[in-house]
Amino acid sequence: MPLTLSRRLVLAGACVLAASPAFAGEKKEEKKKEGDGQALDPTIKLQAITIPIIVNGRIVNYVFVSMTLKLTSGTDIAMFEGKEPALRDAIIRAAYKTPFVRPDTWKEVDGPKLTRFVLAQANLLTGKGKFASVEITKQIPRQQLMPPKPGGATPASNPDLDP
């Protein structure tokens, strides 16, 4: 008889353990429902965009850049829905016309120039004043290259995109 009692105890314990994740999931859902009234963080995170580093008309490297677009207060994130592909396309087109190249390295983009362009382009797509700022969160170069020689290579420029 003690052998049967042990089996029942083990089975009961297994049932309790198996049911625990289900109860835990319900509690998480309840917490989410309670938190629905809270304001969401007004940011849009763009996944990595491949920016070419072009020097003297040749691609010397690619940098994968992730950015966060910060909305102005009171702006609904839904207004940007469906516009991300157009923004990404504009960034890549501009990167080939006027490379966002720093003169001292081929492993990073020219951050201020890129963020100004992205902010202007995002406001153009959605209406002026919807975005407060653009922040580059990550830059990963495809290749680890030596820095350019001083005065040796110059990035191309397009006066239409320069501020």
Side-chain angles (χ1 to χ4, degrees), residues 98-148:
T98 304
F100 300 108
V101 179
R102 286 182 40 185
D104 60 336
T105 183
W106 293 338
K107 295 190 274 184
E108 293 182 4
V109 297
D110 183 356
K113 186 176 178 182
L114 179 62
T115 55
R116 280 193 307 269
F117 176 79
V118 171
L119 185 60
Q121 209 53 42
N123 281 322
L124 184 69
L125 286 170
T126 60
K128 194 167 184 145
K130 305 268 186 192
F131 291 94
S133 65
V134 176
E135 179 185 345
I136 295 175
T137 55
K138 191 186 301 183
Q139 295 189 51
I140 302 171
R142 180 173 177 234
Q143 299 175 352
Q144 297 295 327
L145 300 173
M146 296 296 293

Side-chain angles (χ1 to χ4, degrees), residues 3-17:
L3 185 62
T4 309
L5 183 62
S6 320
R7 285 183 191 163
R8 287 183 186 166
L9 186 61
V10 170
L11 286 174
C15 289
V16 169
L17 289 176

Side-chain angles (χ1 to χ4, degrees), residues 11-146:
L11 286 174
C15 289
V16 169
L17 289 176
S20 296
F23 292 123
E26 288 177 16
K27 290 177 185 176
K28 288 179 185 176
E29 289 176 11
E30 289 174 11
K31 288 179 184 177
K32 288 179 186 176
K33 288 178 185 175
E34 291 172 6
D36 283 346
Q38 297 174 356
L40 297 173
D41 190 18
T43 60
I44 297 171
K45 294 180 181 179
L46 294 178
Q47 295 299 320
I49 300 173
T50 306
I51 306 288
I53 303 297
I54 302 173
V55 178
N56 293 335
R58 299 184 72 190
I59 296 174
V60 294
N61 203 3
Y62 288 99
V63 178
F64 303 99
V65 180
S66 297
M67 291 179 268
T68 300
L69 298 148
K70 294 186 181 179
L71 298 159
T72 55
S73 62
T75 304
D76 186 22
I77 293 177
M79 62 82 197
F80 192 68
E81 188 173 314
K83 295 187 172 135
E84 183 178 350
L87 178 62
R88 295 172 74 87
D89 183 58
I91 293 168
I92 290 175
R93 287 178 187 266
Y96 278 96
K97 288 179 184 175
T98 304
F100 300 108
V101 179
R102 286 182 40 185
D104 60 336
T105 183
W106 293 338
K107 295 190 274 184
E108 293 182 4
V109 297
D110 183 356
K113 186 176 178 182
L114 179 62
T115 55
R116 280 193 307 269
F117 176 79
V118 171
L119 185 60
Q121 209 53 42
N123 281 322
L124 184 69
L125 286 170
T126 60
K128 194 167 184 145
K130 305 268 186 192
F131 291 94
S133 65
V134 176
E135 179 185 345
I136 295 175
T137 55
K138 191 186 301 183
Q139 295 189 51
I140 302 171
R142 180 173 177 234
Q143 299 175 352
Q144 297 295 327
L145 300 173
M146 296 296 293

